[in-house]
Amino acid sequence: MVPVEYYLLLSSGLFCIGLFGILTRRNALYFLMSVELMLNAANINLVAFSFYWGNLTGQTFALFAIALAAAEVAVGIGIILALYRNFGDVDVMQAATMRW
Amino acid sequence: MVTAFDYVPAIVLLPFVSFVVALFIGKQLPKKGAYGGIAATAGSLLLSLWVLASVAGGGAHQETYWTWAEGVGSQPFTLEFGALIDPLSALMLVIVTLIATLVHVFSLGYMNDEGERDLPRYYAGLGLFTASMLGFVIADNLLMAFMFFELVGLCSFLLIGFHFREPGPPSAAKKAFLVTRFGDYFLLVGVVAVFATFGTAAFAGAESFPALAEGALDGTVDVWTPGGLDTMTWFTVVGLLVLGGVIGKSAQFPLHTWLPDAMEGPTPVSALIHAATMVAAGVYLVARMYGFYALTPTTLGIIALVGGFTALFAATMGLVKEELKQVLAYSTISQYGYMMLALGSGGYVAAVFHLTTHAFFKALLFLGAGSVIIAMHHNENMWDMGGLKNKMPVTYWTFLAGSLALAGIFPFAGFWSKDEILYEALIHAGSEPLLFAGYAMGLLAVPVTAFYTFRMVFLTFHGNARSEIARNPEPVRWNVKGPLSVLGALAVVTGGINMVPVQKVLGIEGIDYLHLWLDNHWGGIEGLSSHHYAEIDPYSSTYPFGTEVATVLAGAAISLALAVAGLLLAWKLYNVAEPVEHTDKLGGAKTLLYNNYYQDEFQVWLADRTRGVSGGADTFDQGVVDGVVNGVSSVSLFGGDRIKRIQTGVVGNYALLLTVSLTALLVVFALLGGWF
Amino acid sequence: MTDDRPGSSSRAPGIAAVALFGVLAAVILGSAGGFGDPVGFPAGESIVHTIGYALFDIGLGEIPVEGFLAAFLIIAIALDVALDSAVYLAKREDEGTIVSALTDGGRDIVDGPVSGDDSEGGDR
């Protein structure tokens, strides 16, 4: 059986790849994809620990997380559309008018 | 079964309701809220009479309505609102509500008919004033009394400054407020001291502070004293602290200076302040906690001395005044001095007696003065009057009755009460030299009082009219004459409630009704009777003229002779067709008297001397207190201004901050938790 | 439109992500004693069947799991809400007529506003 550490390494690697994308990209669509990566890193953790404890709750929960990710993408795309309409671009660095 | 005592809160609340009504919808009401006020105070009067009848029927009542704070742990103080109905407070309730009702009626003539503006504010003030005083009267503990005491002070401020568009009244109101407040500081400290010492401020009952103080002096009760001070010394200090508030409110020397200035208020308000509410509050407070004062001979001596001195001192100032209300103002100070003298010399009943009679005749005199002022188109200078006797007979005869009572002429009300005060001072003077000084000054004040009173009467009503207005005075209506007639009758007959001299000389038992009343003869609360007070006060009676009867007769004869002498002198000098200012012959003394012994100037000078202290306090307030407050706000402002710069609005920066922080947190936890 | 050409954005913040990975990896690998052996699932039991039962609170199957019926229903509503909100966010107003993102098929939703004649029929 595969030790759980490898799963964790995989998930943290995936998470950091997503984070890297967020930190370096300016295009909102890339942002959305990177966030998906980070979300799925969490799913890997859920599944891994489900296997580790011999309890299927984690796996079921991962299913729900996937459904929520779909909802999140739907809203995210809508936000990106609004962003584009208001700024003429999907550059997240430009959308900085709602600060103090 | 419903008894009168169930309606005690209503006595206080009715005028309060009239205050609220006049305040909010007074403008829409007929007569701007006057009828509401009359109805409310008349209702209170009826309830008070019912309460009086119930007390006469053997009842007395103490009830706690609301405990608004309870102590915890080693400080188990409970702070409560409650009512204490005993013969004293029942009597006072009737006096206050009666005067308040008559003042409301009189105001119809003095304010409404004269076309004053802002009447809803006036009637609201009167309502609150009456309500506060009634609350003070029924208070069953010192703290509640203090609260209503302050409310009374506030209301007098509002009413004295009623004509705030003119220059005089606002400054007089401020002066009244500040001077009485100066005394109230001592009272506040005194209230705290009473709580700290006894753990209670109740007036009545076995656990009340007078009872505990008595026990402490007997050695049966342990009380706290600061620094292990002797209990007697400490009680004297506490008594004097509370006395500070009394001196301020009852306008005793040296805090009397506010009262003459308070004449700037509307005349009915002056009547209310002087007869039944504000000024009476001080004396009533001493009477209320007399069980405490009677324990400390030093305090009693000081009260007697201050009272006697004030009686004489104020009377001399009244000699030279030219304005009608000013003379009455000084007579008020002087008369309250007599009450203090009575309280200080163990004459609890005499003080209450004089409080009662004075309430009637002084209200009468002020309302009479108000009537004259209406007639004179608000000219108060007596040298412009004269000859009003035939033009306004009702006012003249009632005013004359009040003046005879004030001067202490047999058989008007003032004679009986003043005579009893002097008698009490005289028979107790043997055991306390301070009392003898008080008695001497009180006796000297008698002819002075009679003189200035009748100087006032003769100048106002007799002789020839000295001005055009006095020849054609404005007529007054029923709402002025009605209250005057009621009070005039009372000023004549009130002395009948306590004819001790007659009883002693003729040997008729049972006509000293007030003595019996305050001695719980018909009903009352244990420990609050004049009998009890006589037992615990430090005085013993000696009769300087041999027997008791001889002393009574001699004392009465002396004071009556002096009063008549003063009256005759005034008659001789001023009851002529064209009186002249005889007081001019006094020369420099007149200037001194006219300027009130330069008391105002002295107090201003004294206040100037404290400029360093107040300047320091101001610097402390402006610099340290405000500095801290401003500093805190400017630090937050500055910090916020700097820290907001990390809020760039760029999402990448937030993500970077989150990442770096998470990494840093992980490292810290890992190092601390040994995860590596 | 931003196309993330090289140089259009800085790679420097990415170092933070790499650093985080380093810390995470160090924690995972260096944790004292490791995680031990996983329990695993019993052989012969269908994991997919059991998940299906769990979603509808049917207590069949040998593998321990909790019921998720309530969560299932809530997530269904949440998805619906998300879909609605996505549509709401995507539509725009042009001179009073609401132009929906979903009605105009393959046309360019940004440049050409939809003509009013067919906007009623497929609204939303």
Side-chain angles (χ1 to χ4, degrees):
Chain A
M1 288 208 257
V2 185
V4 76
E5 284 91 339
Y6 294 150
Y7 291 109
L8 293 185
L9 275 181
L10 173 64
S11 103
S12 56
L14 203 55
F15 183 86
C16 289
I17 289 168
L19 193 59
F20 187 87
I22 284 181
L23 290 176
T24 55
R25 299 287 169 157
R26 303 178 63 170
N27 189 317
L29 286 168
Y30 283 110
F31 252 65
L32 212 54
M33 295 179 212
S34 304
V35 169
E36 278 313 296
L37 279 183
M38 291 162 76
L39 206 60
N40 282 302
N43 278 344
I44 289 178
N45 262 2
L46 282 173
V47 174
F49 279 104
S50 168
F51 174 67
Y52 181 73
W53 295 112
N55 187 318
L56 271 179
T57 302
Q59 292 205 24
T60 320
F61 215 90
L63 277 180
F64 284 111
I66 289 166
L68 273 179
E72 176 243 310
V73 168
V75 178
I77 294 284
I79 291 174
I80 290 174
L81 276 173
L83 191 68
Y84 178 74
R85 213 176 292 133
N86 284 318
F87 291 92
D89 202 346
V90 289
D91 185 349
V92 292
M93 301 299 174
Q94 287 185 14
T97 51
M98 277 177 70
R99 58 178 182 180
W100 44 271
Chain B
M1 188 190 144
V2 178
T3 65
F5 301 124
D6 297 332
Y7 292 98
V8 166
I11 296 176
V12 180
L13 289 177
L14 275 174
F16 187 77
V17 169
S18 101
F19 153 69
V20 173
V21 167
L23 192 64
F24 288 107
I25 57 169
K27 277 198 170 57
Q28 284 88 47
L29 293 176
K31 299 286 182 192
K32 312 287 182 201
Y35 290 143
I38 293 171
T41 45
S44 292
L45 174 60
L46 291 178
L47 287 174
S48 304
L49 287 171
W50 189 15
V51 167
L52 190 78
S54 302
V55 174
H61 186 64
Q62 187 175 14
E63 184 180 350
T64 300
Y65 296 119
W66 182 35
T67 303
W68 53 276
E70 285 197 59
V72 287
S74 62
Q75 307 285 311
F77 304 141
T78 52
L79 309 181
E80 297 167 334
F81 283 125
L84 170 65
I85 302 297
D86 69 336
L88 176 64
S89 55
L91 176 67
M92 195 67 192
L93 280 180
V94 173
I95 295 173
V96 173
T97 51
L98 176 63
I99 304 283
T101 311
L102 294 175
V103 163
H104 272 85
V105 174
F106 186 85
S107 297
L108 275 177
Y110 193 83
M111 304 298 281
N112 292 59
D113 291 355
E114 296 285 288
E116 299 275 357
R117 56 196 290 193
D118 294 334
L119 284 175
R121 185 159 58 83
Y122 174 76
Y123 286 109
L126 279 191
L128 187 61
F129 204 176
T130 314
S132 332
M133 184 63 193
L134 291 170
F136 172 74
V137 169
I138 66 164
D140 79 335
N141 63 69
L142 191 56
L143 184 65
M144 177 181 171
F146 175 73
M147 289 172 174
F148 282 100
F149 206 63
E150 294 300 293
L151 264 181
V152 170
L154 170 72
C155 296
S156 70
F157 169 77
L158 294 174
L159 285 170
I160 292 169
F162 178 70
H163 295 295
F164 66 90
R165 291 179 181 83
E166 295 156 24
S171 114
K174 266 185 280 182
K175 185 172 174 186
F177 195 69
L178 288 177
V179 173
T180 54
R181 191 51 19 86
F182 182 73
D184 289 346
Y185 280 128
F186 295 104
L187 176 55
L188 178 59
V189 176
V191 172
V192 174
V194 165
F195 263 109
T197 311
F198 304 106
T200 176
F203 286 134
E207 291 298 309
S208 63
F209 72 89
L212 289 176
E214 202 181 334
L217 290 179
D218 291 345
T220 52
V221 180
D222 270 340
V223 295
W224 175 86
T225 55
L229 211 61
D230 177 42
T231 45
M232 180 57 100
T233 318
W234 174 236
F235 289 168
T236 306
V237 170
V238 172
L240 289 177
L241 283 171
V242 174
L243 192 64
V246 172
I247 284 181
K249 274 282 190 298
S250 279
Q252 298 299 294
F253 179 84
L255 297 182
H256 62 277
T257 50
W258 66 271
L259 197 136
D261 287 26
M263 291 301 109
E264 295 284 356
T267 309
V269 172
S270 305
L272 197 57
I273 288 180
H274 289 229
T277 53
M278 177 97 170
V279 193
V283 169
Y284 180 79
L285 183 62
V286 177
R288 181 77 286 179
M289 49 189 284
Y290 199 63
F292 183 72
Y293 277 117
L295 297 170
T296 50
T298 317
T299 328
L300 283 184
I302 290 174
I303 293 178
L305 193 64
V306 167
F309 180 68
T310 308
L312 178 61
F313 180 70
T316 56
M317 290 188 278
L319 282 176
V320 297
K321 298 295 171 189
E322 289 166 353
E323 292 188 354
L324 191 52
K325 281 175 75 182
Q326 288 288 326
V327 177
L328 290 176
Y330 285 102
S331 80
T332 301
I333 301 176
S334 166
Q335 296 302 307
Y336 279 94
Y338 275 115
M339 290 176 216
M340 296 294 273
L341 172 63
L343 288 167
S345 50
Y348 169 73
V349 180
V352 176
F353 188 26
H354 200 55
L355 187 61
T356 312
T357 57
H358 176 261
F360 295 141
F361 68 69
K362 188 49 64 69
L364 168 64
L365 287 173
F366 266 108
L367 297 187
S371 169
V372 170
I373 289 167
I374 296 174
M376 294 294 296
H377 297 281
H378 293 262
N379 182 349
E380 296 179 14
N381 193 333
M382 290 191 292
W383 291 103
D384 292 338
M385 299 178 186
L388 292 174
K389 179 177 159 188
N390 301 321
K391 308 276 187 2
M392 32 201 332
V394 175
T395 307
Y396 171 65
W397 288 110
T398 51
F399 199 87
L400 187 65
S403 301
L404 287 167
L406 173 60
I409 305 294
F410 182 85
F412 291 87
F415 166 74
W416 303 100
S417 51
K418 195 182 288 181
D419 182 55
E420 184 165 346
I421 289 172
L422 291 173
Y423 172 73
E424 292 280 352
L426 178 64
I427 60 170
H428 291 151
S431 52
E432 174 71 58
L434 279 180
L435 282 191
F436 195 78
Y439 171 72
M441 288 189 283
L443 202 60
L444 273 179
V446 169
V448 181
T449 308
F451 179 78
Y452 72 66
T453 309
F454 278 90
R455 171 175 173 269
M456 171 176 79
V457 172
F458 292 141
L459 281 180
T460 309
F461 291 100
H462 288 228
N464 294 333
R466 286 182 295 275
S467 71
E468 193 49 46
I469 309 172
R471 270 184 281 278
N472 295 301
E474 188 178 322
V476 293
R477 297 177 57 212
W478 63 271
N479 44 31
V480 170
K481 292 175 188 164
L484 285 178
S485 311
V486 173
L487 287 170
L490 282 171
V492 177
V493 302
T494 316
I497 62 172
N498 201 23
M499 292 198 282
V500 181
V502 178
Q503 170 175 335
K504 295 231 168 96
V505 173
L506 299 183
I508 311 168
E509 281 303 317
I511 58 167
D512 51 344
Y513 300 112
L514 193 68
H515 269 276
L516 297 175
W517 174 255
L518 290 173
D519 201 14
N520 295 354
H521 182 72
W522 288 284
I525 289 177
E526 185 67 22
L528 293 180
S529 64
S530 56
H531 197 74
H532 178 71
Y533 296 150
E535 274 174 5
I536 56 177
D537 77 27
Y539 300 127
S540 56
S541 302
T542 51
Y543 300 105
F545 296 95
T547 63
E548 187 179 5
V549 173
T551 312
V552 168
L553 283 175
I558 292 171
S559 66
L560 188 59
L562 286 170
V564 170
L567 198 164
L568 288 178
L569 184 63
W571 180 293
K572 177 102 175 44
L573 291 180
Y574 291 103
N575 191 20
V576 292
E578 297 292 340
V580 292
E581 187 121 22
H582 292 288
T583 45
D584 280 344
K585 291 169 195 154
L586 292 172
K590 182 195 172 177
T591 319
L592 180 69
L593 292 176
Y594 196 77
N595 289 305
N596 311 327
Y597 297 97
Y598 297 101
Q599 276 290 304
D600 285 322
E601 286 75 5
F602 175 67
Q603 286 181 358
V604 168
W605 179 84
L606 213 58
D608 267 348
R609 296 284 82 73
T610 60
R611 186 167 284 176
V613 178
S614 57
D618 182 59
T619 311
F620 180 79
D621 180 53
Q622 299 283 330
V624 178
V625 179
D626 286 14
V628 167
V629 174
N630 293 339
V632 166
S633 78
S634 64
V635 161
S636 352
L637 271 178
F638 180 79
D641 194 57
R642 287 287 169 278
I643 293 173
K644 78 177 180 184
R645 289 177 197 285
I646 64 170
Q647 299 280 340
T648 55
V650 178
V651 75
N653 292 358
Y654 298 152
L656 182 62
L657 271 176
L658 282 172
T659 311
V660 172
S661 315
L662 177 64
T663 315
L665 268 181
L666 272 177
V667 169
V668 168
F669 281 133
L671 286 176
L672 291 179
W675 292 349
F676 289 142
Chain C
M1 186 170 281
T2 314
D3 56 359
D4 278 309
R5 287 178 304 272
S8 70
S9 60
S10 167
R11 293 279 182 273
I15 298 168
V18 177
L20 181 62
F21 179 73
V23 172
L24 283 174
V27 169
I28 291 164
L29 295 176
S31 55
F35 282 92
D37 284 335
V39 175
F41 299 115
E45 281 289 328
S46 170
I47 291 171
V48 177
H49 279 181
T50 315
I51 290 176
Y53 297 144
L55 284 182
F56 295 101
D57 271 9
I58 304 166
L60 298 173
E62 297 299 314
I63 306 171
V65 70
E66 291 159 33
F68 277 91
L69 183 59
F72 187 79
L73 295 175
I74 292 168
I75 215 84
I77 295 167
L79 276 175
D80 193 27
V81 171
L83 191 62
D84 288 353
S85 57
V87 171
Y88 174 78
L89 283 170
K91 79 188 175 188
R92 60 194 173 121
E93 268 184 53
D94 266 355
E95 287 149 15
T97 44
I98 296 171
V99 181
S100 172
L102 294 189
T103 53
D104 40 2
R107 269 186 284 171
D108 187 346
I109 59 164
V110 174
D111 296 334
V114 182
S115 55
D117 54 3
D118 64 344
S119 65
E120 292 300 315
D123 198 18
R124 291 199 32 173

